[in-house]
Amino acid sequence: METPAPAALQAWLRGLDDYGEVEVGALHPVEGGASNVILRASLANAPLPAILLRLQRDRGIFEPYDVVREAAVLRRLAPSAVPVPAVVGEEADAAVLGAPFAVLEWVDAPHMGVAGPQASFSAYAAMVARIHALDWQALGLDQVLPVPDSAEAATRAELEVIAERMERFPGAGAPILRRALDLLRKRVPGGAPIGFCQGDINVFNYLFRAGEVAAVVDWEQARLGDIRNDVAQVLALGHLKGAPFGPVRDQFFLQAYEAARAAGELPDMAFFRARWLFELGVIYHGWRAFNDDLPWYGWDHLTELLALALDEIE
C-alpha cells in the first residue's frame, strides 16, 4: 500500500470542525504494527500537535479489518476509566486516501516493551482487568459490536474466523493446526458471562508514563465474548518468548491478573492457552504470506508448545 500524500490528508482534515486551517507535515511509518498501516504526522494550526493515521489493509494476519468500527469503539471508550487516544475522524470511502482510515490523537509515550522503569507489570495487569470490568452496555459498545448469544458461542465463532484464515494462508493447513482446530471445537468451555475484550492485549499496546498506563492502543480486534481469550494471549506469547511451559495456574501474568480483578480464579485456562497457541500457529503462516521476513518466533518452537497444550486438554 502506497503512503498517501500529506496534501490529501490535509484536505480531508480541513473539512472537520476546528481543523479548517490545519497544515499536515510529512507522514512517517510507525514501527511495531503488524496489521493495519500506521503513520504519524505533525500538525500546525490544529488542536493537536500530531496525529496517528490508521489505514485499513485488505489482507493481513488478523483479517478482516474494519478501522471505522475501531474508531466507533474508541469513541465509546472515551468517557470510561480506560485511557484511549481521542478520535479525530474516520473515513470509510477508500477513494480519499486509497483505503478506509481513522485519524487518532498521537499519544507521545513509549509502549511497555521499551518503557523500562516507566512501565509497571502490575499496572499493566490491572489495566487489562479494568478493561474486562467495563459495563459494555452502559458504554453503548453493543451498538457497534456484535453481541453473541453467549461467551461460549463467541469463542466458537472466533475459532471459525481463524479456521477461515487457515484456508487462505499458504501452509496454514499443517496437520498439527488441523488437529488443534478439531480438538478445540470439541472442548469449548461454557459458563462464563459475556465480557468486553480488547482482542490484543500484548504489551506493545500499553503506553506508559511514570509507572502508569497513559493509553491503551490498537482496538481493531475488540469484541464481546469470553475475557479468558484475552488473558490467554499473554500466556501463549510468554511461552514463545521463553517462559517454561508448565501448569497454567503457575503463569505469572494469570496470577497478577487474577489478583487485580479480585474475582476469583479463571477456570479452564488450559483450553484458552491452547486456543491462542493455535491462533499463533495460523498467524505464523499469515505473517510469511504478507511480509518479506519471518515472524519473531519459530515454527518448531510453536508446534512443540502447541502439542504440549493440546495433550494437556485432551
Side-chain angles (χ1 to χ4, degrees):
M1 184 183 299
E2 294 185 3
T3 300
L9 176 60
Q10 178 175 288
W12 183 85
L13 284 171
R14 286 184 173 182
L16 304 180
D17 291 343
D18 301 323
Y19 286 83
E21 298 182 1
V22 66
E23 295 180 8
V24 177
L27 293 166
H28 298 285
V30 177
E31 296 183 358
S35 297
N36 291 313
V37 178
I38 307 173
L39 304 164
R40 179 188 182 277
S42 296
L43 303 182
N45 303 324
L48 296 172
I51 52 91
L52 182 142
L53 172 65
R54 290 179 67 84
L55 286 162
Q56 182 173 304
R57 286 188 188 272
D58 289 330
R59 302 293 312 279
I61 60 175
F62 285 123
E63 61 184 45
Y65 298 108
D66 189 341
V67 295
V68 173
R69 180 190 62 198
E70 180 180 5
V73 168
L74 286 168
R75 289 185 186 280
R76 283 159 178 78
L77 289 174
S80 78
V82 175
V84 296
V87 178
V88 176
E90 61 270 37
E91 178 59 65
D93 186 356
V96 177
L97 296 182
F101 63 89
V103 178
L104 310 177
E105 168 194 12
W106 171 262
V107 180
D108 191 13
H111 64 69
M112 188 175 175
V114 297
Q118 294 189 61
S120 162
F121 193 85
S122 60
Y124 164 55
M127 184 57 67
V128 176
R130 184 183 298 178
I131 291 169
H132 293 161
L134 290 175
D135 186 336
W136 48 269
Q137 291 174 306
L139 291 170
L141 287 162
D142 54 336
Q143 299 173 26
V144 296
L145 296 172
V147 181
D149 292 335
S150 65
E152 178 183 350
T155 299
R156 292 189 182 279
E158 290 165 23
L159 285 174
E160 297 314 310
V161 170
I162 303 167
E164 291 175 7
R165 295 176 192 150
M166 281 179 64
E167 301 305 321
R168 294 194 296 267
F169 296 167
I176 191 167
L177 295 181
R178 296 204 177 278
R179 176 197 168 202
L181 179 59
D182 181 63
L183 181 59
L184 292 169
R185 280 169 167 164
K186 297 175 181 176
R187 301 296 176 90
V188 177
I194 297 171
F196 175 58
C197 306
Q198 182 189 354
D200 189 2
I201 66 167
N202 78 71
V203 298
F204 302 106
N205 293 331
Y206 288 70
L207 312 185
F208 271 83
R209 291 196 196 101
E212 298 296 331
V213 178
V216 183
V217 300
D218 196 348
W219 295 85
E220 66 190 5
Q221 297 298 310
R223 54 187 178 263
L224 300 174
D226 195 318
I227 62 171
R228 291 174 291 184
N229 282 302
D230 260 6
V231 177
Q233 180 191 22
V234 178
L235 307 186
L237 290 173
H239 293 312
L240 285 171
K241 292 177 180 177
F245 190 93
V248 72
R249 299 238 54 84
D250 292 346
Q251 304 308 308
F252 183 61
F253 177 75
L254 179 59
Q255 295 174 351
Y257 172 86
E258 290 177 338
R261 74 192 288 261
E265 294 184 353
L266 294 177
D268 300 307
M269 286 304 299
F271 168 89
F272 291 96
R273 176 167 64 175
R275 168 251 183 272
W276 252 105
L277 286 167
F278 161 63
E279 180 165 6
L280 287 163
V282 175
I283 286 172
Y284 178 90
H285 293 284
W287 183 277
R288 295 193 64 180
F290 303 120
N291 296 277
D292 295 329
D293 57 353
L294 293 174
W296 58 267
Y297 55 93
W299 175 249
D300 289 344
H301 189 201
L302 183 282
T303 55
E304 177 186 0
L305 291 168
L306 179 55
L308 290 170
L310 295 176
D311 289 345
E312 183 179 29
I313 64 173
E314 193 169 34

